[in-house]
């Protein structure tokens, strides 16, 4: 059901081109979850504070809950689902699994996005850099240590 | 969301101003980090969202021939934090920008959005006041320039009139090559400041050349007192002067009790953070002085 | 049989973590079904009042609204495990801000939210009590004026807003105070803490045409939720099917019901599926918190550090409804002596109604509060006695064979070993840390800790598949703690199969065997035991069939890793696949195993302790531990940073060491938040910080950068699977007192109130 003030947009979503109508106040998070059925991005707060909805927009981590979907016209959006490589977990995602960085998993999609972006910009970050990249990603289960381990392990693996 | 709610992405500033001037409930949308958060919380329901994204060059950061730096309203916090063209006291801007929120917030939020939102606990209002910056404003009635000091009016309120937008923030050059220190105290990582201090300190031959200290989080807008700052100029930096200065600033404060700290705590923190900020800035001056002479 | 393990003791990656890391795992709010409506709840805007009337006229005009419910549309029932004082939607009275008053189902979320806002409730404001002081004041207004008419499980005396009081007495403290060489006494205060699971509560209820309803929701137990829906809405359990989606953390907060009964009521009223997902602020205002407490405690010791007497009185602020408060209070009281022997002890406790969010179970279950007081006192004693704090604890530490407060015997206990391990690491590692920054002062603090693992009933069912792999079923919901991996590990080990050979079914009340809750650190211990026994039963049958097939005695057989049975010392063997094929089609039928039990360990001992009004009569097995921290305190601002934590745990046996470490580290950081940052604050009955903007939990920068976990496996629990005991809660218990003791060590300021915000620490330093 489209209404007169719905906005047509085109965006690249996880490498494929999509055309869609969105409502003027619809957030990217709602569009992803309700419009595209991409429920990997989570709504933990809808206020920019928990990080669970983080996606890459034009290559940079941003909060999809604070992004008006219509502003994504012409942009490139990558969600946690889009990090998969040939249907398999990426090195970073696999490292989260192997290092025990995934417990309930609700924060994991946002964490995977943030760390993927970090490793693209800095392939050999130290633990302080990794923690800085995780700033603003709340995880109530893990105590963060194994998430930091995972980023180190992924950097190691990618470097070898 | 009302049925009349619209979204637009104009490509000229004039168009933005004209849309804004016709509708008091219209809002321009910059990074969305504050505006959309408020909409999501049901605190605000604008009739129009006017995105500034498509206005050419509004996010540019430019070093001007006279040594000043012009920061476009749509410049993201991370771009400002990484900009290497700031010199002397101008660096207070990048020092503050890199302390805003979290990486993803710094990728989204803009200097225009931050100063127009005018949260007294935010980082830019304090920093641009300390930098003696000038805000360029455009409205349907024309353009005007306002000193940062006069830009902020009250809690979440600026001098902007309906139909006006902030276009850029110009940071004047600092021939004294002052050191800067931005001291931000937060309860937790990435929080807004309980109290923040932006300090610019220039010394030569053991006496103070430049002295600007602005405190955020202790009143409805950044707290600054040029008269009390003037006392320091031409004299060595003395602890007793700093104590007096802090006491003088306290008279200008109007702190509140909130989750980030009580009014009492804020007033306790202020002098402590001021002297820490000045000590650190002074230490930097000594390093850069010895660097020059070596 | 050889000693090598096929699955237990291996740090197998969590089985569901690939799905989670790939974004494919489905949590409650990730489900959408055709025809689904969205629910919204109107919460009370006032802390205490009488509902005079509710006007739905305007709300009904919102396009897309399908159903609106108030208490009048629901069965008139009060429910609750201990005191039946709760209703689904407020009936006549509201007792806290956020209490559900009405609910709407509509075609869109926006329409539902708008309609909920347009419901006009006419309230008569009533006086409210929003703190312990107000609730306990003389002539305080009563939160439940009719409380004496409520149905209760136990006839405990009430007194004003105090709805449950209990006591324990061992020895005679009053007679021995004079013989103590040192006495410390203080009053401690702890805050309401929000669980802050990352996934807000949500439920999707789908009715079918036959009158059954399926519920997918954020819950720590499918069976408890099924029972509660049945109870609240008067629907037979056979018509309610609860299915567990992935759960985004619980920590006790998803132990009880949240929005399930309301979603079910809306779905029945509209005849359509209804999903309700709370916003973060609704989740904070509407559900539950850790009990804020006040604890007065006094402890006396001899010169050599031997504890002689303790006296404690605990007040638990329970909020507006009973929920699990009697159990939380009782357990907090039982933990008031901690893992130490002390012959003379008197503990009194009271649970108090206030007009606030209800307080319920939260990781630690009353123990973190009691331990904060107890371990702060031990530290103060050590200072007075000029004694090493670990030495003082070692001197009084419980050992196997000693009795817990209340008289229950403790069979396995590695308390001393935990203290020793901690002592050794602190001696080696503290001095090796880089020094504190200029202007900051460093301090070291320790705490002992203990907890239980056990409680209540559970069951498991296994069957052998035709190809020799195994299907395992339990009713245990994995809320992120890892049971989906650990329980199959126990099953695999018992059969010497690799973990991949065990299929583990998702939980569904239609098909899963019963389990109480994922709570009380009980799963690995109790459900693990059920899984092991069920698997042993199946293994016996496998061996019997193999003996038939190999024509030998069962006693001559052994299991090889990987699903074969062989004759010891010979080359004759038969595979699980061959055994299954024969059984399925010809001899004896499918091979299955099952086991059910309720915790059956030692009980309180009336000969040792006089106890009144306890909410339970036995608990589980005890686990022990010790934690040490290094903090740096900024003397300019009072800010405290925990640099490093060492956490030693008497775990019996770690089934999955990586998973255990993750549980410990997560609990430690939750404890750091509790100690330094987290506090729900009410003003005039309204929660002032219901968002992550105002209520801060530690992120990766706030959390300690190193948390060393020491797993002490020296005291395996005879009744536990492979010797294991639970670990879910213990590691949070000692964190706050260890940090408080470290702050004292750094600054000389002894803080008796948490969280130790920078403001409180600075004020503490300034008032020295
Ligand atoms: C989790 C989180 C943490 C944060 N932490 C911090 C922090 O530590 N320190 C800090 O300083 N800030 C913090 N912020 C705020 C952040 O910096 C915001 O980005 C900023 O305040 C608003 O910038 P924006 O570009 O997103 O503006 P928007 O949200 O788009 O707009 C904000 C307001 O300004 C108006 N506006 C925007 N641009 C203009 C313009 N050019 N002219 C006129 N009006 C305009 C809008 O209409 C709106 O009313 C945080 C935000 C979040 C979500
Ligand atoms: S949902 Fe976007 S940051 Fe929490
Ligand atoms: S794994 Fe549960 S919130 Fe991070």
């Amino acid at each position: 059901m489209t209404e007169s003030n719905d906005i047509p947009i085109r965006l690249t979503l996880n490498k494929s081109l999509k055309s869609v109508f969105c409502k003027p106040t619809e957030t990217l998070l709602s569009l992803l979850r309700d419009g595209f059925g991409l429920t990997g991005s989570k709504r933990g707060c809808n206020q920019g504070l928990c990080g669970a909805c983080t996606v890459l927009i034009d290559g940079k981590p941003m909060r999809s809950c604070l992004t008006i979907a219509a502003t994504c016209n012409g942009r490139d959006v990558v969600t946690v689902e889009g990090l998969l490589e040939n249907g398999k977990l990426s090195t970073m995602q696999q490292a989260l699994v192997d290092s025990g960085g995934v417990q309930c998993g609700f924060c994991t999609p946002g964490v995977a996005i943030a760390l993927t972006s970090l490793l693209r910009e800095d392939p050999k970050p130290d633990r302080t850099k990794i923690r800085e990249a995780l700033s603003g990603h709340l995880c109530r289960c893990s105590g963060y240590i194994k998430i930091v381990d995972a980023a180190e392990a992924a950097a190691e693996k990618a470097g070898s | 969301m009302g049925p009349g709610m619209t979204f637009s992405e104009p490509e000229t500033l004039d168009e933005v101003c004209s849309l804004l001037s016709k509708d008091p409930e219209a809002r321009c949308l910059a990074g969305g980090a504050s505006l959309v958060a408020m909409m999501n919380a049901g605190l605000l329901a604008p009739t129009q969202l006017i995105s500034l994204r498509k206005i050419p060059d509004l996010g540019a950061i430019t070093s001007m021939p006279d040594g000043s730096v012009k920061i476009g309203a749509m410049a993201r916090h991370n771009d400002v934090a990484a900009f290497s063209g700031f010199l002397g006291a101008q660096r207070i801007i990048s020092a503050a920008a890199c302390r805003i929120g979290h990486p993803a917030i710094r990728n989204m939020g803009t200097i225009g959005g931050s100063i127009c939102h005018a949260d007294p606990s935010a980082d830019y209002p304090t920093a641009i006041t300390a930098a003696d910056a000038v805000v360029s404003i455009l409205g349907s009635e024309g353009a005007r320039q306002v000193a940062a000091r006069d830009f902020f009016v009250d809690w979440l309120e600026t001098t902007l009139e309906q139909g006006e937008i902030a276009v850029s923030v110009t940071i004047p050059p600092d021939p004294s090559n002052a050191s800067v220190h931005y001291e931000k105290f937060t309860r937790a990582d990435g929080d807004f400041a309980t109290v923040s201090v932006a300090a610019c300190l220039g010394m030569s031959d053991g006496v103070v050349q430049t002295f600007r200290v602005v405190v955020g989080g202790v009143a409805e807008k950044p707290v600054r007192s040029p008269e009390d700052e003037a006392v320091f100029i031409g004299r060595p930096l003395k602890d007793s002067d700093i104590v007096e200065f802090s006491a003088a600033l306290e008279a200008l404060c109007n702190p509140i009790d909130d989750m980030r700290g009580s009014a009492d705590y804020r007033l306790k923190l202020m002098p402590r953070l001021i002297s820490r900020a000045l000590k650190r800035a002074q230490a930097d001056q000594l390093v850069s002085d010895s660097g020059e002479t070596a | 049989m050889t000693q090598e393990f096929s699955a237990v003791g291996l740090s197998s990656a969590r089985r569901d973590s690939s799905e989670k890391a790939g974004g494919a795992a489905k949590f409650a709010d990730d489900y959408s079904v055709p025809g689904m409506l969205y629910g919204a709840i109107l919460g009370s805007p006032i802390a205490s009042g009488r509902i005079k009337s509710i006007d739905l006229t305007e709300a009904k005009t919102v396009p897309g609204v399908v159903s609106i419910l108030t208490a009048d549309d629901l069965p008139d029932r009060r429910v609750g495990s201990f005191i039946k004082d709760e209703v689904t939607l407020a009936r006549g009275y509201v007792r806290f801000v956020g209490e559900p008053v009405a609910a709407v189902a509509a075609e869109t979320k926006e329409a539902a939210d708008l309609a909920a806002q347009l419901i006009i409730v006419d309230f008569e404001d009533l006086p409210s009590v929003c703190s312990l002081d107000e609730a306990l004041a003389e002539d305080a207004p009563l939160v439940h004026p009719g409380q004496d008419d409520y149905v209760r499980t136990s006839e405990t005396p009430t007194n004003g807003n105090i709805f449950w009081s209990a006591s324990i007495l061992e020895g005679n403290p009053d007679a021995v105070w004079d013989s103590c060489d040192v006495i410390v006494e203080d009053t401690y205060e702890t805050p309401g803490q929000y669980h802050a699971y990352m996934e807000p509560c949500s439920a999707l209820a789908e009715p079918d045409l036959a009158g059954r309803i399926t519920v997918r929701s954020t819950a720590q137990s499918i069976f408890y939720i099924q029972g509660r829906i049945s109870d609240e809405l008067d629907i037979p359990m056979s018509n309610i099917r609860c299915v567990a989606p992935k759960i985004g953390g619980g920590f006790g907060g998803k132990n009880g019901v949240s929005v399930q009964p309301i979603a079910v009521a809306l779905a029945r009223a509209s005849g359509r599926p209804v999903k309700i997902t709370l916003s973060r602020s609704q989740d904070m205002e509407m559900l539950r918190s850790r009990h804020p407490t006040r604890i007065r405690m006094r402890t006396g010791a001899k010169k050599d550090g031997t504890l002689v007497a303790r006296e404690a009185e605990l007040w638990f602020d329970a909020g507006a409804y009973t929920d699990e408060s009697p159990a939380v209070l009782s357990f907090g009281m039982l933990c008031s002596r901690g893992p130490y022997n002390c012959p003379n002890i008197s503990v009194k406790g009271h649970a108090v109604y206030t007009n606030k969010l209800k307080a319920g179970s939260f990781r630690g279950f009353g123990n973190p509060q009691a331990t904060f007081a107890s371990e702060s006192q031990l530290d103060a004693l050590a200072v007075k006695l000029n004694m090493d704090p670990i030495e003082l604890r070692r001197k009084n530490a419980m050992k196997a064979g000693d009795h817990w407060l209340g008289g229950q015997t403790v069979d396995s206990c590695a308390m001393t070993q935990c203290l020793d391990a901690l002592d050794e690491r602190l001696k080696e590692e503290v001095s090796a840390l880089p020094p504190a920054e200029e202007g900051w002062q460093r301090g070291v603090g320790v705490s002992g800790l203990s907890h239980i693992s056990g409680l209540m009933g559970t069951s498991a069912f296994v069957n052998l598949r035709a190809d020799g792999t195994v299907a395992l079923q339990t009713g245990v919901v994995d809320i992120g703690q890892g049971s989906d991996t650990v329980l199959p590990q126990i099953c695999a080990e018992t059969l010497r199969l690799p973990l991949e050979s065990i299929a583990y079914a998702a939980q569904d009340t239609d098909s899963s065997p019963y389990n109480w809750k994922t709570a009380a650190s009980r799963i690995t211990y109790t459900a693990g035991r059920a899984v092991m026994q069920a698997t042993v039963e199946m293994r016996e049958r496998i061996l019997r069939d193999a003996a038939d097939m190999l024509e030998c005695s069962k006693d001559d057989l052994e299991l090889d890793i990987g699903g074969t049975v062989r004759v010891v010392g010979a080359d004759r063997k038969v595979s699980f696949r061959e055994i299954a094929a024969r059984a399925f089609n010809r001899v004896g039928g499918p091979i299955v195993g099952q086991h059910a039990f309720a915790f059956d360990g030692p009980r309180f001992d009336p000969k040792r302790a006089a106890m009144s009004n306890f909410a339970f009569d036995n608990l589980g097995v005890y686990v022990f531990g010790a934690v040490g921290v290094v903090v740096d305190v900024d003397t300019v601002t009072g800010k405290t940073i925990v640099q490093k934590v060492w956490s030693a745990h008497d775990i019996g046996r770690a089934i999955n060491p990586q998973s255990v470490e993750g549980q410990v580290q997560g609990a430690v950081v939750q404890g750091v938040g509790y100690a330094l940052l987290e506090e729900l604050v009410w003003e005039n009955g309204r929660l002032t910080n219901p968002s992550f903007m105002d209520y801060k939990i530690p992120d990766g920068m706030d959390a300690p950068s190193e948390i060393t976990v020491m797993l002490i496996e020296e005291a395996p629990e005879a009744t536990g699977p492979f010797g294991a005991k639970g670990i879910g809660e213990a590691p949070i218990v000692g964190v706050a007192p260890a940090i408080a003791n470290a702050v004292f060590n750094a600054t000389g300021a002894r803080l008796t109130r948490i969280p130790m915000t920078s403001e409180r620490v600075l004020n503490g330093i300034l008032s020295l």
Side-chain angles (χ1 to χ4, degrees), chain A residues 29 42-53 63-66:
Chain A
L29 179 60
K42 303 298 181 205
R43 182 177 281 120
C45 69
N46 226 24
Q47 289 289 308
L49 291 151
C50 75
C53 68
R63 302 289 199 243
S64 63
C65 70
L66 297 183

Side-chain angles (χ1 to χ4, degrees), chain B residues 1 102 183 185-192 259-265 268-269 272-273 276 280, chain C residues 438-440 634-637 639 677 679 681 688-689 693-694 696 699 701-702 758-759 762-763 766:
Chain B
M1 181 198 10
H102 312 287
E183 183 71 27
F185 178 82
T186 61
R187 287 173 301 168
D189 175 46
D191 195 9
F192 283 84
M259 290 312 306
R260 300 195 183 101
S262 69
D264 172 64
Y265 183 52
K268 273 191 189 128
L269 280 180
R272 296 167 156 256
L273 296 181
R276 179 175 271 180
R280 301 224 161 131
Chain C
E438 201 198 315
W440 294 65
D634 181 359
T635 50
V636 169
T637 63
K639 185 161 188 114
L677 274 179
E679 178 168 26
V681 177
T688 59
N689 51 351
M693 182 60 96
D694 290 324
K696 287 290 170 194
D699 79 357
M701 298 290 284
D702 301 312
S758 307
E759 178 164 3
L762 184 64
N763 287 340
L766 294 179

Side-chain angles (χ1 to χ4, degrees), chain C residues 507-529:
Chain C
Q507 299 78 37
D508 181 335
T509 50
D510 274 3
S511 53
S512 302
Y514 179 81
N515 172 57
W516 180 60
K517 292 177 179 178
T518 301
S521 312
R522 61 189 287 273
I523 292 306
T524 300
Y525 174 73
T526 58
R529 236 171 105 173

Side-chain angles (χ1 to χ4, degrees), chain C residues 17 38 62 70 139 141 144 173 187 215 227 235 245 248 263 301 366 435 459 466 479 486 577 604 642 674 688 714:
Chain C
S17 51
Y38 295 83
V62 175
T70 67
D139 298 328
H144 289 269
T187 300
V215 183
I235 307 171
S459 53
I479 58 171
V486 165
R577 176 195 287 270
F604 300 147
V642 180
Y674 187 50
T688 59
E714 287 170 34

Side-chain angles (χ1 to χ4, degrees), chain B residues 56-142:
Chain B
D57 298 330
L58 203 56
I61 310 174
T62 322
S63 296
M64 307 302 277
D66 67 350
S68 61
V69 175
K70 188 174 130 195
I71 308 172
M74 283 293 278
R76 310 280 161 171
H77 304 334
N78 257 342
D79 296 332
V80 175
F83 181 70
S84 55
F86 293 121
L87 297 171
Q90 291 175 328
R91 291 173 299 157
I92 194 69
I93 302 295
S94 46
C98 67
R99 296 295 313 276
I100 298 175
H102 312 287
I105 301 299
R106 294 195 291 273
N107 285 331
M108 301 180 72
T110 65
I111 190 167
S114 175
I115 64 170
C116 294
H117 187 58
D119 185 328
S121 293
D123 298 301
Y124 271 138
T126 311
I128 68 165
T129 305
D132 272 339
V134 174
V135 182
S136 300
I137 297 170
L138 185 71
S140 33
E141 312 281 292

Side-chain angles (χ1 to χ4, degrees), chain C residues 134-164:
Chain C
E134 287 176 16
L136 295 171
E138 228 174 293
D139 298 328
L142 294 182
V143 178
H144 289 269
Q147 67 167 320
D148 291 335
D149 301 331
Y150 294 156
V151 177
R152 313 164 64 95
T153 53
S154 144
E155 284 312 313
T156 54
T158 63
N159 176 10
N161 285 310
I162 296 178
F163 62 89
W164 197 285

